[in-house]
Amino acid sequence: MASTGRAAPTDEIVVSGVSKIYGSGAAEVAALSNVDLTVRRGQFVSIIGPSGCGKSTLLRLIAGLETADAGEVSVFGSDPDEACAVKMIGFVPQVPALLPWLSVLQNVTLPSKLNRRADALRRRLPGHIDRAAAPSRAAARDGAAADAIAILETIGLGDSLGRLPHELSGGMQQRVALARAFAIHADVLLMDEPFSALDEFTREAAQVQLLELWERQRTTVVFVTHSVAEAVVLSDTVVVMSGRPGHIDAVIDIDLPRPRRQGLLESAALHLWEDRVRAQLQTAWAPR
Ligand SMILES: Nc1ncnc2c1ncn2[C@@H]1O[C@H](COP(=O)(O)OP(=O)(O)OP(=O)(O)O)[C@@H](O)[C@H]1O
């Protein structure tokens, strides 16, 4: 059989021997050097490390928004830019970036309205797993609204469907951005410090709501954070990075039971894992 030039579908995101350099000459920055990482489908993986160690660069490479200078990235067997173009990949940035003239519900349903063509293409990509049968246009519209409402209810915004973004707190706006990402039913969601602007109490509540959404969909998530507690409470695996140039120091599997809820935040087991990740970070930051 003739080769299609496309890798076979896999159940993994694979980053293999990846290096990334920005700029050239005196302005050259080695952002990543020889990074290997495997994320299995359905895993929640957090990346933690000091500022400038290449966390966002790694996320952007998986998203197909940057190209590696060496090595390869594959998203369930597809090239990242191809996977991104057909919305196999969703992105949650630091700022919610909601459209101010649209209601909460309209903000959440907009991507699925815009992405019908991408949906059709996505169904043909080898690494995509269909979560629902292809619906008719009208059924898709009604289904998308019902789905968005269910997601917004899960995240505690069921009574805010008709409100405009400026009528919401920062924490509520970020939860709408999360709902919008989950509503596209992407194969992987990449989240770049989505809770960093929230106060501690709001942040912990948002983490619990993210976990509730994730447990419903079991979407693969790669999550960048500076918070050890956040990484531990959310993740199956915490990836510890350090810089100059950016590389992976340790991959720590967090063996805490799920579902993880508010009570876990105070548990001794959680604090033991936090201590372990913090010790690894201190090793990573120690001068060489
Ligand atoms: N577009 C760019 N052009 C030049 N250098 C860049 C660019 N993007 C990132 N860098 C550099 O690459 C390195 C890694 O940056 P990156 O943003 O990936 O780190 P980070 O770990 O996400 O940082 P932070 O935690 O502060 O967000 C840094 O030294 C940064 O200055």
Side-chain angles (χ1 to χ4, degrees):
M1 200 167 77
S3 164
T4 60
R6 185 182 275 169
T10 70
D11 259 346
E12 292 173 337
I13 298 169
V14 181
V15 176
S16 175
V18 160
S19 297
K20 176 71 187 174
I21 295 170
Y22 291 111
S24 59
E28 189 174 292
V29 177
L32 292 176
S33 171
N34 201 22
V35 168
D36 292 319
L37 178 66
T38 300
V39 178
R40 292 191 309 280
R41 194 187 286 276
Q43 263 195 314
F44 197 120
V45 173
S46 288
I47 302 174
I48 193 164
S51 191
C53 72
K55 302 180 296 295
S56 299
T57 300
L58 181 54
L59 216 57
R60 290 171 62 77
L61 283 160
I62 296 171
L65 301 171
E66 301 278 4
T67 312
D69 293 299
E72 286 182 7
V73 181
S74 130
V75 178
F76 306 125
S78 296
D79 285 338
D81 49 355
E82 185 181 33
C84 192
V86 299
K87 307 293 173 205
M88 267 173 81
I89 301 175
F91 207 88
V92 182
Q94 238 167 337
V95 286
L98 303 177
L99 293 177
W101 60 89
L102 294 184
S103 70
V104 164
L105 181 59
Q106 287 166 331
N107 264 287
V108 173
T109 52
L110 184 67
S112 54
K113 284 184 187 151
L114 295 177
N115 292 330
R116 292 232 172 87
R117 187 177 138 68
D119 263 357
L121 290 171
R122 179 165 54 161
R123 287 172 203 282
R124 286 191 234 138
L125 262 196
H128 170 65
I129 288 193
D130 236 345
R131 292 161 200 271
S136 71
R137 192 171 277 241
R141 190 186 54 233
D142 296 346
D147 182 54
I149 292 168
I151 289 172
L152 284 161
E153 282 170 349
T154 304
I155 209 159
L157 290 170
D159 55 359
S160 300
L161 304 180
R163 294 170 80 184
L164 292 170
H166 77 267
E167 298 173 304
L168 308 176
S169 68
M172 291 166 88
Q173 290 185 23
Q174 197 51 280
R175 273 147 59 202
V176 177
L178 280 182
R180 180 179 56 190
F182 277 94
I184 64 172
H185 295 272
D187 292 77
V188 55
L189 291 177
L190 305 176
M191 305 191 182
D192 198 354
E193 299 185 55
F195 303 145
S196 60
L198 307 182
D199 64 78
E200 196 177 335
F201 180 77
T202 310
R203 187 171 184 150
E204 285 180 2
Q207 288 162 6
V208 170
Q209 281 159 333
L210 167 58
L211 282 174
E212 280 176 25
L213 269 185
W214 178 77
E215 276 152 16
R216 273 171 51 124
Q217 292 196 6
R218 289 284 169 158
T219 310
T220 312
V221 173
V222 185
F223 188 100
V224 168
T225 181
H226 280 110
S227 160
V228 171
E230 182 165 271
V232 169
V233 79
L234 293 176
S235 310
D236 298 309
T237 299
V238 176
V239 176
V240 178
M241 290 186 68
S242 58
R244 298 168 193 261
H247 62 278
I248 292 177
D249 263 308
V251 175
I252 302 173
D253 290 327
I254 306 295
D255 185 18
L256 286 170
R258 292 192 186 272
R260 298 179 187 166
R261 291 289 178 270
Q262 199 66 39
L264 182 76
L265 294 174
E266 292 90 42
S267 77
L270 181 96
H271 295 311
L272 284 176
W273 281 109
E274 285 178 15
D275 291 347
R276 184 155 168 216
V277 171
R278 207 165 276 117
Q280 188 64 50
L281 275 168
Q282 277 158 1
T283 311
W285 289 350
R288 284 154 206 267

